[in-house]
Each structure stands twice: as C-alpha cells, then as structure tokens.
Amino acid sequence: MPSNENPKVKKKETTRTFQSVKGMHDVLPSDEPYWERIEGAVRTIAKAHGFARIEPPVLEFAELYNKTSGEESDVVQKEMYTLKTKGGDFLALRPEYTPGIARAYMQNGLSRAAQPQKLVAVGPIFRHERPQLGRARQFTQIDLEVLGGVSDPMYDAEVIAMFHGILTDIKIKNPTVKLNSIGDRVCRPVYKKQLTAYYKAHESQLCEDCKRRLDANPLRLLDCKEPGCEELKENAPSFLDKLCVACSNHFKEVLEYLDEIKIPYSLDPHLVRGLDYYSRTVFEIYAEGAEEEIGALAAGGRYDYLMETIGGHVTPAVGGASGVERLIAVMRAKEVPVGVAGGKAAANAKKVFLVHAGELAKKKAFSLLHSLREKGIAVSEALSKESLKAQLKVADKEGIGFALILGQKEIYENTVIIRDLSNGVQEAVSLDKLPEELKRRLSAK
Ligand SMILES: [Zn+2]
Ligand SMILES: [Zn+2]
C-alpha cells in the first residue's frame, strides 16, 4: 500500500471545528416564537387545572429506570445514557420524567399533602435513538402527572383533555386520541396467556427480539415495528374483551368523561406503550394525517403500581408526556402561525430603537438604554455601527416604530430626538420626560 506520508511535505496543523453531538440540536433564535407559543399554552392550561411545577434532577440512579420502565423496555435496554461517577455510582440521564417524579413524590412526602398532587414539568430528556424527523437524542418533554388519591377515571380523562387542549391551543387541527386499557393484576395474566398462545402458534413469523421476549413479556410484541410482527398484530386477541369487571368499568368511565367534554377518540385494542409500569388506561394523541410520519404528539397512561416497585405504597397515578421539538416540527410542517397577529412588522411597529451620533453619544446612549430597559421599555440598538445611516438601516429592516436619536447637541441640552419612523416626524423631548412620553406613544400606536 502506498504511504500518504511524505516526509518533505509537512502536514498542515488543522484546528478542529466542533459540531453538536449527533442527534442533539441547538435551539435557535428563529425557534423562539414556537417555544414561547408552546410554553405559554402549557402554562395557561396547567394553571387552569391547578397543576404545580416540579423539576427533578436530570440525573437519577439508573436502577430507578430498570425497576420502573422495565429491564426489557427499549428505553432501558437500548436508549438510556448511563454513566459511572468517580464515586462509583451508576447514573442515568433521564430517558423520561415519570419515575423521577414518582421518586420525588415519595422522597419529599408529597403523599402527605392534599391528594392527588397535580404536577407539571418541562425539561430535557435523553434517549440514544436513531435520529429522524421529530426524534432527537436530546429533546424537551412537557410532562403532566396526577399522583395519589384514588384511581379515579376522571383524572385519566383530565390528563388526556389537557394534552388535547395544548395541541388545540397551538393550532394543531383535529388531534386524534387513541385509547386502550391494558388491565390490572387481576385480568392481565389471563390476557397475557392468550396472547402468548396466539404468538406461539405463529412463532416462525416473529423477529428475533420478539421470539426472545415472548415468554417474559408478550405485551411488548404488540409494540414491535418489524413487518412480520406488525402483520401478526392485526389478528392478535384484543385486551378489551378480557378486562375484569373493575377494569372494564374504569375504562368505560374514562370514555364517558371524554364524551362529556366532547373529546373525540378511537379505541385501539392493540395499543400498549413500551413501558412496564402502565396499567389500565393507555393513550396516544396524533396530528391528523401525520401519524406515520412523525409519531405520537402526546402519550401516557395510568400507572397505579409504579410506586410499589420503588418501595412505596400502591399509589394511584396517571400521566403523560409530549415532546416540544416534535410539536414544533408539526407546527412548521402545517405552517401554524406563531407570534402576534399581523406578524413581525406589526409586533415591531411599537418597538423603540436607539441611535447614536458620535463616540461621546455612544457612551451616553448605552446608559440611556440601560435606564429605559430598567423601566420596562424594550429598546433595541445597533450601537456598534458608527454611522447614523447604517444604524437607521437596521431599524428599518426590523420594522421598528420609533427611533431615538442621541447626538452631541442633545447631550448638552439633556434631550433626545424621537422620530416616528412611519412618517418621519420628529421632535426633541427632555430626557426626564422620555420614559413617560415613550409609554404614551407605545400604547397609542
Ligand atoms: Zn418483533
Ligand atoms: Zn382488571
């Protein structure tokens, strides 16, 4: 093999240019209107429903997820980012919110406060998945949980309604809710047996993963996306026929509550969700017509047994989560308008832009900016540009309403010129009266 190394040609030292880690994205200024819109919707709805904020740490003991999400779940088996600390602890970057919030509920004695506790969290989640549209390795989840009290179907319906409400609020048209019940400890073993028998009869069609987990966890087979397994799912026995009386009544009531508030849904007797802790209600919400392409926009279910698996008492609970970046992808694809009505120009028509003329004026302009902002008046600038013309050009580009012009003369006279950029009319105003004058003009326009 010829060698690339030629001793006469010195290799040029190259400086590495860094890229973000695969599957992890920057939130950019152009994303901001979407974030604001979504966070606003979540805040409004959470507040209206009496949900309070909780924010567990990003790192938890990895075992917390093994015990709750399940050793066999994709989250634990393939997707969890784990690390060993210098002290020898085995930790995981949270691959979902629910186990950490359940742990926090126990640890902080929230079970002794009024029940149920209604909690909301919004923060980063980490999953080592194959990156694709609407699926990143770091993403942000909106999480809603109702913990404690009794296993009341009303709360299942409330959580579903809240996610439906958030989607509707951010103008995603006709979100479709899919529902199923996966029973409890009484009826699930019976169903599992039937499911195992069904799959055993078709074992040759199954993928290797499914063959392996058939005995341990046949429910997971309903979640498999391999073509052979998907095909088998069609005729698999339905859980809804096998529910015990208590589970059947619970599910019926969930549907009645949803009917009551006119939230449309469809039943999917093979919907399972890939996590071990769910019992009874499981749900997924999709954007109409984007089901295959982008996946569920919100999903969750009831998890009455989770607390027991981490050393607590049986604690009825129901919750769900939604990925912010995925919502943004749908909003972009569907061209959902964000921001103030009338778009950028209308929003900025009320804005103030400070312009300086001369080096001395620049220092003074800087302090004027500061004092106006302290009084709650938003002011933008291009102070690093020297010429008046260049600065005004930026203001024009941004569609600004008023320019404040500060030159030598104004400094000596303790004034500033306000120019209305919509008509070019300008007048000098004393600096003492400026904040008041600006507030007046901004509210009038
Ligand atoms: Zn499979
Ligand atoms: Zn049951």
Side-chain angles (χ1 to χ4, degrees):
M1 251 190 39
S3 167
N4 285 333
E5 278 177 55
N6 183 344
K8 281 182 195 157
V9 181
K10 260 207 173 156
K11 236 185 166 179
K12 205 179 148 201
E13 281 266 342
T14 50
T15 311
R16 181 179 172 192
T17 50
F18 285 94
Q19 299 279 310
S20 64
V21 174
K22 187 179 175 194
M24 303 202 176
H25 306 291
D26 303 301
V27 175
L28 297 170
S30 58
D31 302 321
E32 183 58 21
Y34 294 93
W35 283 84
E36 227 168 76
R37 189 80 183 73
I38 293 169
E39 283 168 340
V42 173
R43 247 195 314 276
T44 309
I45 288 173
K47 205 170 171 194
H49 285 255
F51 277 60
R53 173 130 186 246
I54 188 164
E55 200 52 65
V58 170
L59 283 168
E60 299 271 0
F61 289 106
E63 205 190 346
L64 175 70
Y65 301 106
N66 298 346
K67 287 229 158 116
T68 54
S69 314
E71 306 263 13
E72 284 288 315
S73 66
D74 279 352
V75 162
V76 168
Q77 283 226 323
K78 304 176 191 161
E79 298 163 4
M80 206 155 67
Y81 281 89
T82 53
L83 61 107
K84 207 158 189 174
T85 66
K86 285 178 178 148
D89 287 329
F90 190 50
L91 307 181
L93 282 169
R94 70 172 165 237
E96 53 156 333
Y97 259 119
T98 306
I101 291 178
R103 188 230 6 99
Y105 172 89
M106 271 175 54
Q107 184 179 335
N108 299 289
L110 297 182
S111 58
R112 291 191 296 274
Q115 301 297 301
Q117 286 278 299
K118 295 178 163 185
L119 304 171
V120 56
V122 179
I125 299 288
F126 302 85
R127 285 188 196 169
H128 195 270
E129 291 185 277
R130 198 165 58 81
Q132 49 187 295
L133 180 66
R135 185 161 295 172
R137 291 180 173 177
Q138 179 182 333
F139 59 101
T140 309
Q141 243 180 19
I142 301 158
D143 189 86
L144 300 171
E145 310 284 358
V146 179
L147 296 132
V150 290
S151 188
D152 192 328
M154 180 181 71
Y155 296 128
D156 307 40
E158 184 177 11
V159 168
I160 293 167
M162 287 173 77
F163 281 111
H164 189 273
I166 292 168
L167 297 180
T168 310
D169 192 27
I170 60 174
K171 302 284 185 280
I172 291 175
K173 275 187 205 131
N174 305 325
T176 51
V177 179
K178 287 187 185 174
L179 277 173
N180 192 21
S181 174
I182 57 168
D184 61 1
R185 282 174 180 163
V186 177
C187 51
R188 199 180 308 170
V190 184
Y191 176 66
K192 270 188 175 175
K193 237 181 226 164
Q194 287 197 336
L195 200 60
T196 310
Y198 168 78
Y199 278 118
K200 277 258 158 80
H202 302 87
E203 204 169 339
S204 59
Q205 265 190 62
L206 292 173
C207 74
E208 289 310 308
D209 264 357
C210 285
K211 276 180 190 157
R212 190 176 46 77
R213 57 196 172 192
L214 176 53
D215 284 308
N217 198 345
L219 282 183
R220 296 275 295 110
L221 273 64
L222 294 170
D223 226 13
C224 183
K225 299 285 181 276
E226 292 294 322
C229 305
E230 279 228 300
E231 207 183 300
L232 276 181
K233 184 171 105 171
E234 303 287 312
N235 294 315
S238 154
F239 215 143
L240 294 176
D241 306 331
K242 308 295 177 309
L243 295 176
C244 68
V245 175
C247 288
S248 176
N249 286 341
H250 183 99
F251 193 56
K252 218 176 92 212
E253 277 195 62
V254 174
L255 304 186
E256 284 167 6
Y257 279 114
L258 290 174
D259 289 337
E260 197 64 39
I261 52 176
K262 301 198 166 50
I263 290 191
Y265 55 81
S266 61
L267 302 184
D268 179 349
H270 297 131
L271 178 66
V272 282
R273 308 287 307 140
L275 300 163
D276 279 4
Y277 52 66
Y278 285 122
S279 55
R280 293 187 166 169
T281 316
V282 286
F283 72 89
E284 288 179 346
I285 309 181
Y286 292 86
E288 197 178 37
E291 290 155 34
E292 289 299 310
E293 193 189 336
I294 203 150
L297 296 185
R302 179 161 281 285
Y303 54 96
D304 292 349
Y305 304 128
L306 187 149
M307 216 70 84
E308 240 186 342
T309 62
I310 54 170
H313 301 291
V314 173
T315 308
V318 60
S322 175
V324 174
E325 290 82 354
R326 200 177 278 196
L327 296 182
I328 293 176
V330 174
M331 288 168 88
R332 283 211 155 106
K334 297 198 179 274
E335 294 176 358
V336 170
V338 287
V340 190
K344 199 176 162 189
N348 285 346
K350 288 196 160 193
K351 277 205 183 145
V352 181
F353 193 93
L354 182 59
V355 174
H356 76 94
E359 201 49 34
L360 179 62
K362 186 176 172 185
K363 286 261 164 59
K364 186 76 183 163
F366 185 73
S367 92
L368 179 58
L369 264 182
H370 187 73
S371 75
L372 288 174
R373 285 169 175 164
E374 268 186 340
K375 291 187 174 73
I377 299 168
V379 192
S380 51
E381 46 78 27
L383 292 183
S384 60
K385 292 192 189 299
E386 279 187 18
S387 87
L388 194 69
K389 207 173 143 198
Q391 293 175 69
L392 283 169
K393 211 169 159 187
V394 176
D396 191 44
K397 229 184 205 164
E398 289 186 14
I400 295 287
F402 299 103
L404 304 176
I405 303 167
L406 193 65
Q408 303 278 27
K409 181 166 172 277
E410 286 72 35
I411 291 173
Y412 289 125
E413 292 174 355
N414 210 30
T415 59
V416 66
I417 292 168
I418 303 185
R419 183 190 288 184
D420 187 332
L421 293 177
S422 65
N423 53 19
V425 175
Q426 59 183 52
E427 82 178 285
V429 178
S430 104
L431 278 181
D432 310 331
K433 291 192 178 137
L434 180 65
E436 220 174 292
E437 176 63 19
L438 278 177
K439 280 181 183 166
R440 190 185 65 76
R441 287 187 181 223
L442 289 172
S443 61
K445 201 152 189 174

